[in-house]
Amino acid sequence: MNQNSWTLQTFRQVLKTCVGRRDLVTGKSLHALYLKNLVPFSAYLSNHFILLYSKCGCLSAAHHAFNQTQHANVFSFNVLLAAYARQLRIASARQLFDQIPQPDLVSYNTLISAYADCGDTESALSLFKDMREKRFDTDGFTLSGLITASSNNLCLIKQLHCLAIYCGFDHYASVNNSLLTYYSRNGFLDEAKRVFYEMGEIKDEVSWNSMVVAYGQHREGLEALQLFQEMVRLQLGLDMYTLASILTAFTSLEDLVGGLQFHAHLIKSGFHQNSHIGSGLIDLYAKCSGDMRDCMKVFEEIPQPDLVLWNTMISGYSQKEEYSEQALGCFKKLNQVGYHPDDCSFVCVISACSNLSPSLGKQIHALTIKIEIRSNRISVNNALVAMYSKCGNLEDARRLFDKMPEHNTVSLNSMIAGYAQHGIGMQAVRLFEWMLETNIPPTNITFVSVLSACAHTGKVAEGQKYFSMMKDMFGFEPEGEHYSCMIDLLGRSGKLTDAERLIEAMPFNPGSIGWGSLLRACRTHGNMDLAVKAANQLLQLEPSNAVPYVMLANIYATSGKWEEVATIRRLMRDRGVQKKPGFSWIEVKKQMHVFVAEDGSHPMIKEIHNYLEEMSRKMKQAGYVPDVRWALVKDDEIGHGEKEKRLVHHSEKLAVAFGLLSTSYGVPILVMKNLRICGDCHNAIKFISAIAGREITVRDTYRFHCFKDGRCSCGDYW
C-alpha cells in the first residue's frame, strides 16, 4: 500500500469519525484540506462533508458543500433533503426533491416523513400516490411516515393498517410502533394493545416504551406499572417518555407514596433534572398532594426549564382556585424569560382567570388575538368560551362560540356547560340536539353538562331520557358524575325515594359524590331521616371533610334541633375538622374586593352598613321578611333583631352593597362566592335588584343566579 492510498484511507476514516461524533472543528479542517486538492476528489468524501454539516445543524454550510460537489448523486441530494426535513423547511425540501434526476425510495421516504412531521397529510398522501403511479417499491418506513402523517384521521390509519398487512409490512417494528402510537392518541387503546401483543418477537424497545406511554395517556395506571416492571425484568432501555408515563400512572392512581418512591429512583438515576420528567413530577404533586411548594421545588431543580415545564406549572396552579393568582404570575414570568406562550399556556391561564376577574380574562383574550397561535387555536377558543361563561358573561361566550370558524366536541361541551351553570336548561338541550344533528360526537362530559342542565331546571323526564341514551345509543357506561346529576335531578324535584333507590342500584360504591347530592336534596326538602343517613355515609367516607358536618348541622339548626347541632359541632372539634370560611368577592375598577360575614376591615364598611340598613327598610316596605332561620343561632342566645343584623352582614350582601355603591346606575354587577348562597340572601337580592334597578349576578359553587327586576334566573329552583 503506497503513501497516497494510506493517506486517503486515513482521511476517510477521520472524516467518518468526525461525522459520528459531530466534531465540526476537525471536520472543517479536513474540508479545507479537501478543497485545496490535497486529497483526491471523490463523491464519497463530498457526500460525507454534506452529511457532517447537516448533522451539526449547519444548514447553510451543508448547502454550500452540496453546491461544491462536482457530480452530485442521489445520496448527495438525500443528505441535504434530510437536513431540510429536520429543520422543517418543507418548501426548500420539496424544491430540492424536484431537482433530483432519479429520486430513490430514501428520497420519497424522507419527504413523506417531513410532511408527516409538519402535519401535512394531503401532501404526504399525494407523494405516496406519485410513488405508486411510478411503480416504486415501498417499504415499512414509507408506511410509518404515512401513518404519522395521518395522525388524527382514524379511518385513514385503519386503511394504512390494512395495506401494511396486505403488502407484508406488518413485520416491520416501525410500522407497528406507529400504529400503536396513533391508535392510542385517537382514543383506541384496545387497538393499540392488540397491535403490541401481536408483534411477538419483533417488539423493540420503542414498542415497549410506546405501550407504556399509551397506558399513561389513557390513565391505565396499573397496566402501565405492570408493563414497566416487565421492561425492568427484561433489562430493556427506558426513555424519558416512559418514565414520565410511569409518573402519569401514579398520578392516575392517586398513589402519592408510590410517586414519591419513584421520584427517589429518578434522583438516583439522574433523570430528575430532565424537563419532560419534571413536568410529570409537577403534575403528580399538583394533583395528588395539592401542595404547590413541592411543585416549585421540582421546577427550581430543572437547570433549563422549557415551555412545556412552564405550562405544567401554570396548569398546576390553575387547578386550584386559591392559586389562580400564582398561575397568572407564572404566565407573566414565562413571557419575561423570553418564551412565547403557546396554545397550552393560554388554555391554562384562561382557566385561572375564570376564578379571578372578568377584566383579566378579557386582557388574556386580547393577547390571544395579538399573538399568533400557530396550532390548536380551537382549544384556546374553547377555553375562552368556558371562561366567559364562568365569569357570568354568557352573551360574550355565545358570541365567541358563534364566531368560531370550527367547532369540536369540547366547544359544544363548554357552551352547554355554560347554559347549565346559568340554569338555562332549554338552550342547553337545544344545543345538545343540534350537536347530534350535525354528527359531532358527544362524550361522557357532554352528558354531565346536559344532565346538570336538566337538574337545574327540573326537567326530570328529559334527564331520564338522556341518562338512558348514554348507554343505549352511545355506549357510555354512566360514571359517578352522571349518577350525581341524576340524584340531584330527582332530589331537587322532591323525588327523594327515587334518588335513594338510584344510589342503591348503582353498580359501584356511590362514594361522596352520590351521598353528597342526596344530602343537599334532603336539606332543600327538609327530610331529616334521609339526611342523617346520607351524612353518616359521607362521614364514613370522608371523616375529615367539613361539608357533611356543616350541612347536617344546618339541617338540624333550621329545624330547631340545637342539641343535635351542638353534638355535630363537638364532633368536629374532637376530630379537628374546621369549617371552610365563607367569603364573597367583587371586581370594581380592576381591583378585587373580598368580604367575609361580619367583616369590618373594608375601608368603606361604614358606608356599606348604612346602605344596607336603608335598603333593608325599603325592602321590608316592599314585602321582604328576613328568614332568620339562616342566621343558624338559637333563639335564647340572641334576640330576633340581632339575628336580622347578622343576616344583613352576610358576605354576599356586603359585596352586593359595595358593588352598587361603587358603580354607576344601570351597570350590571357580578359577585362570586366560595360557598352556596344562603336562602335569605337569595330572597333579599331579588328585592335589592328591583329597588336598585340593577342586574345583579351571583356565582356560587353550584351555579349562577342572575337577579333582575325582583326575579332570579333560577326561578327559585335551586
Side-chain angles (χ1 to χ4, degrees), residues 1-273:
M1 182 181 292
N2 59 35
Q3 183 68 29
N4 283 339
S5 64
W6 179 87
T7 303
L8 180 59
Q9 183 180 358
T10 304
F11 190 89
R12 290 173 61 148
Q13 187 60 43
V14 173
L15 177 57
K16 187 176 179 181
T17 303
C18 288
V19 173
R21 295 181 178 178
R22 289 172 170 75
D23 184 352
L24 186 61
V25 175
T26 306
K28 282 185 174 181
S29 299
L30 294 175
H31 197 193
L33 294 173
Y34 182 66
L35 293 176
K36 290 178 181 178
N37 295 321
L38 297 179
V39 178
F41 168 82
S42 76
Y44 176 89
L45 294 177
S46 296
N47 290 340
H48 272 70
F49 282 117
I50 302 170
L51 186 60
L52 169 71
Y53 290 125
S54 67
K55 286 198 170 185
C56 291
C58 301
L59 190 57
S60 59
H63 193 274
H64 188 62
F66 174 81
N67 289 335
Q68 290 176 324
T69 302
Q70 296 178 12
H71 302 289
N73 56 23
V74 69
F75 183 88
S76 316
F77 281 95
N78 287 344
V79 171
L80 188 59
L81 186 66
Y84 281 133
R86 273 194 296 273
Q87 296 195 17
L88 295 181
R89 294 183 55 174
I90 307 302
S92 299
R94 180 69 209 215
Q95 186 177 9
L96 183 67
F97 177 86
D98 291 336
Q99 293 172 11
I100 303 176
Q102 292 182 321
D104 62 6
L105 180 59
V106 175
S107 312
Y108 277 98
N109 285 350
T110 302
L111 190 55
I112 286 174
S113 294
Y115 284 134
D117 289 339
C118 67
D120 191 347
T121 308
E122 187 175 338
S123 296
L125 291 174
S126 175
L127 195 61
F128 177 65
K129 182 182 177 183
D130 184 52
M131 286 182 72
R132 303 280 284 183
E133 289 175 348
K134 292 179 179 178
R135 300 188 179 280
F136 257 96
D137 289 332
T138 57
D139 63 6
F141 298 108
T142 316
L143 268 293
S144 300
L146 288 169
I147 293 165
T148 302
S150 310
S151 58
N152 296 320
N153 190 329
L154 183 63
C155 181
L156 192 52
I157 290 171
K158 287 184 175 181
Q159 291 179 41
L160 291 169
H161 191 177
C162 293
L163 181 64
I165 295 171
Y166 178 78
C167 295
F169 296 136
D170 54 330
H171 65 277
Y172 274 75
S174 62
V175 173
N176 286 282
N177 294 341
S178 296
L179 287 168
L180 187 163
T181 297
Y182 291 104
Y183 273 133
S184 171
R185 289 188 186 179
N186 283 280
F188 285 79
L189 181 61
D190 288 341
E191 293 292 337
K193 287 165 62 177
R194 186 176 296 112
V195 170
F196 177 77
Y197 287 108
E198 288 179 356
M199 287 175 72
E201 296 298 321
I202 68 168
K203 285 196 288 284
D204 57 13
E205 289 184 350
V206 175
S207 314
W208 286 86
N209 285 321
S210 299
M211 196 63 234
V212 173
V213 171
Y215 280 130
Q217 289 170 339
H218 289 265
R219 302 283 171 175
E220 296 287 349
L222 287 175
E223 287 80 357
L225 292 175
Q226 289 169 0
L227 202 62
F228 172 72
Q229 290 172 345
E230 183 67 11
M231 289 182 72
V232 172
R233 188 185 68 80
L234 295 172
Q235 297 183 333
L236 295 171
L238 303 168
D239 62 22
M240 63 179 180
Y241 301 105
T242 305
L243 297 174
S245 295
I246 297 304
L247 288 168
T248 302
F250 284 117
T251 304
S252 66
L253 294 170
E254 298 182 1
D255 183 359
L256 181 60
V257 174
L260 286 167
Q261 293 173 349
F262 194 67
H263 188 179
H265 169 73
L266 292 170
I267 293 172
K268 288 180 180 179
S269 57
F271 275 103
H272 66 294
Q273 292 186 326

Side-chain angles (χ1 to χ4, degrees), residues 491-492 518-527 555 676 718:
R492 284 173 185 267
L518 184 60
L519 182 56
R520 286 193 297 272
C522 291
R523 180 184 179 183
T524 301
H525 295 283
N527 189 321
I555 293 172
R676 194 183 190 198
W718 59 285

Side-chain angles (χ1 to χ4, degrees), residues 524-690:
T524 301
H525 295 283
N527 189 321
M528 186 69 66
D529 294 336
L530 193 53
V532 171
K533 178 180 178 180
N536 287 333
Q537 291 287 342
L538 272 172
L539 293 176
Q540 289 179 20
L541 292 166
E542 298 181 356
S544 60
N545 185 355
V547 172
Y549 297 93
V550 173
M551 290 184 71
L552 187 57
N554 290 346
I555 293 172
Y556 281 135
T558 53
S559 301
K561 296 190 175 185
W562 297 105
E563 290 185 8
E564 287 82 352
V565 172
T567 301
I568 295 292
R569 290 175 177 170
R570 192 181 310 113
L571 187 62
M572 290 180 70
R573 284 196 302 272
D574 293 343
R575 294 181 176 179
V577 179
Q578 292 187 335
K579 176 186 175 183
K580 185 179 181 180
F583 59 89
S584 301
W585 66 97
I586 182 172
E587 181 188 15
V588 175
K589 297 177 182 177
K590 297 185 179 180
Q591 284 192 333
M592 299 301 297
H593 299 263
V594 182
F595 297 89
V596 182
E598 302 294 329
D599 186 18
S601 63
H602 196 275
M604 285 182 60
I605 197 64
K606 288 185 179 179
E607 292 93 329
I608 292 170
H609 284 169
N610 291 336
Y611 182 88
L612 285 173
E613 286 178 14
E614 177 63 22
M615 180 59 72
S616 294
R617 185 182 61 79
K618 294 178 181 178
M619 287 160 57
K620 288 177 180 178
Q621 290 176 353
Y624 164 70
V625 178
D627 189 349
V628 295
R629 292 177 303 168
W630 290 92
L632 304 176
V633 184
K634 288 176 66 175
D635 292 337
D636 57 1
E637 288 185 5
I638 61 174
H640 188 86
E642 184 62 27
K643 286 186 178 182
E644 285 192 23
K645 186 178 179 181
R646 288 198 178 187
L647 289 176
V648 171
H649 293 167
H650 275 190
S651 66
E652 51 266 62
K653 290 194 183 84
L654 296 175
V656 166
F658 173 74
L660 294 173
L661 284 169
S662 306
T663 56
S664 303
Y665 178 79
V667 175
I669 63 171
L670 171 65
V671 171
M672 300 189 185
K673 187 175 181 181
N674 70 326
L675 300 175
R676 194 183 190 198
I677 188 173
C678 96
D680 180 73
C681 288
H682 185 272
N683 189 35
I685 297 173
K686 287 196 295 183
F687 280 92
I688 293 172
S689 69

